[in-house]
Amino acid sequence: MFFRKKEPEKSETPPAPVGDGAREPATDTHAGELRAPSSDGDVSLLLDALGGVLAGLARHPVDLPHRSAEQSTRELTAWQRHVTLGMPLHSERDASSVGVSARDWGGLVRYVTDIQRDEQTSVDALVAELRSALWGCVSAVHEAVRIDDSASVETGTQLALVKKAVVSASQMSTIKSEVVNALTEIDRTLHERREEQSRQYRTLATSLDSLGRQLEEAKKEIATDPLTGVGNRKHFDLMSQRAMQMFSLGRAPVSMLMIDLNKLKIINDSYGHTAGDAAIVTVAQALKLVFLRQSDVICRYGGDEFAVILQNCDMLAAQTLAKRLADQIRALPAPTQSMEFALGASVGIAQLEIGEELPQWIARADRAMYQAKRSAFGGVMLADSGGGLAPMGARRTA
């Protein structure tokens, strides 16, 4: 069994009474050792907790050199179903579930360990690159300062010689000769200083430019969905908050579109996850062809769901764009030649209302999208200000 039962230890002091409905603690006094579950209910609680941990890991994956975030999400979801429900790790349909003792607990430990090790290796490599770039900048600055200090010392030495010559020399010719020599040396030193500083500043500029590019690329990677190339959920959270802030300042209309790819489960089941990923990429391509303004924010909200934030765009303009998007998706080639139906998407539209908070705005657009999936109005639904819904082309009600 997964849990090893521990024999109760004898004690002269009777255990403290446990109140009605309370559970015994999961650990004893010996270094927090795991005790055996006392009932099937305890096993269910432990499995639910483990499933929650795996679900959390699946929601926040990291792109790795040999494993994409999408792949990690699929694999972690499969492990979650395996350990909590006993489903097979592979996608065989109509397969019966297995009991707790027959589940691959060792494989789960190895898989999670491998992911954590790969993430640590990736982070270490990125930190090492950043550290190297920063130290390159520090070295360039240090060299420039060293040259400056060296030139200052040499200049001071020559000026001291001039002063000594002026004070000690009795003949004007001697003073003139010493001054000319000193000024010539000072001029040479300053010229060398300027040339060397110029070279060091060019080196520093190159290092800073390289560091800036690395930081921008890292920032872009953090905010970009690796499968589709559009913004990810983190980018959506940031830009939707900024859209609300801009709306509060100028009251310029701003609309949100929630888009869901239709029949993704059928595509995955019938043609495989590779075709499903290709279908998601196809929708992202359609979004890029329709929403062309620099201010348009396109993000992958999660799974087969996308979100678009449109600044200076009211509900009427958003309807037109949604219709154009639906036509564009249908016109794009199917991700696989064997697919027997055209791709489609459901769109929900919500224009931000005065005094509305971000969760309410998202929820209205989301409800409209799910209603569009169940409607026969061309797959586009408008969210009214009161939380109601209307098909595309209908008049909005207050």
Side-chain angles (χ1 to χ4, degrees), residues 55 58 101 202 209 244 250 266:
S101 61
R202 287 195 298 270
D209 182 63
M244 292 193 63
I266 296 176

Side-chain angles (χ1 to χ4, degrees), residues 162 165 169 171-184:
V162 171
Q171 296 181 1
M172 184 59 66
S173 60
T174 303
I175 295 175
K176 181 179 178 181
S177 175
E178 292 291 342
V179 170
V180 170
N181 291 337
L183 291 178
T184 301

Side-chain angles (χ1 to χ4, degrees), residues 180-198:
V180 170
N181 291 337
L183 291 178
T184 301
E185 186 63 25
I186 290 172
D187 183 66
R188 183 190 63 78
T189 301
L190 292 178
H191 178 74
E192 291 179 353
R193 171 186 178 182
R194 286 192 296 269
E195 290 293 325
E196 188 63 22
Q197 278 189 334
S198 177

Side-chain angles (χ1 to χ4, degrees), residues 285-327:
Q285 292 172 345
L287 289 167
K288 294 175 185 177
L289 292 173
V290 173
F291 303 103
L292 301 174
R293 298 183 306 170
Q294 188 174 1
S295 60
D296 295 343
V297 178
I298 306 172
C299 298
R300 187 180 179 192
Y301 193 74
D304 59 342
E305 198 168 327
F306 293 84
V308 179
I309 302 171
L310 302 175
Q311 296 278 4
N312 297 313
C313 180
D314 59 15
M315 185 70 79
L316 182 61
Q319 289 182 57
T320 302
L321 291 170
K323 176 65 166 58
R324 189 180 304 166
L325 173 64
D327 293 341

Side-chain angles (χ1 to χ4, degrees), residues 137-268:
C137 293
V138 171
S139 298
V141 172
H142 170 75
E143 185 65 18
V145 172
R146 184 191 64 77
I147 293 169
D148 190 63
D149 291 342
S150 176
S152 297
V153 170
E154 182 65 23
T155 302
T157 301
Q158 296 301 324
L159 290 174
L161 291 174
V162 171
K163 182 178 180 180
K164 180 180 179 181
V166 172
V167 172
S168 62
S170 58
Q171 296 181 1
M172 184 59 66
S173 60
T174 303
I175 295 175
K176 181 179 178 181
S177 175
E178 292 291 342
V179 170
V180 170
N181 291 337
L183 291 178
T184 301
E185 186 63 25
I186 290 172
D187 183 66
R188 183 190 63 78
T189 301
L190 292 178
H191 178 74
E192 291 179 353
R193 171 186 178 182
R194 286 192 296 269
E195 290 293 325
E196 188 63 22
Q197 278 189 334
S198 177
R199 186 183 68 80
Q200 288 298 323
Y201 287 145
R202 287 195 298 270
T203 301
L204 176 60
T206 302
S207 297
L208 289 175
D209 182 63
S210 176
L211 176 60
R213 286 197 303 271
Q214 290 183 38
L215 292 176
E216 282 299 319
E217 290 173 1
K219 180 180 178 182
K220 183 178 180 181
E221 288 179 1
I222 291 173
T224 303
D225 175 62
L227 177 64
T228 61
V230 301
N232 59 14
R233 177 63 179 274
K234 184 179 293 186
H235 187 59
F236 169 80
D237 292 340
L238 173 64
M239 299 307 294
S240 57
Q241 188 65 46
R242 289 183 179 177
M244 292 193 63
Q245 294 168 349
M246 294 298 295
F247 176 74
S248 65
L249 293 176
R251 299 301 187 198
V254 54
S255 298
M256 179 184 297
L257 278 65
M258 299 296 288
I259 303 106
D260 186 80
L261 172 61
N262 296 336
K263 302 180 180 179
L264 179 62
K265 186 177 187 306
I266 296 176
I267 296 174
N268 284 333

Side-chain angles (χ1 to χ4, degrees), residues 91 93 263-276:
S91 59
R93 286 174 287 179
K263 302 180 180 179
L264 179 62
K265 186 177 187 306
I266 296 176
I267 296 174
N268 284 333
D269 291 344
S270 301
Y271 306 100
H273 285 282
T274 300

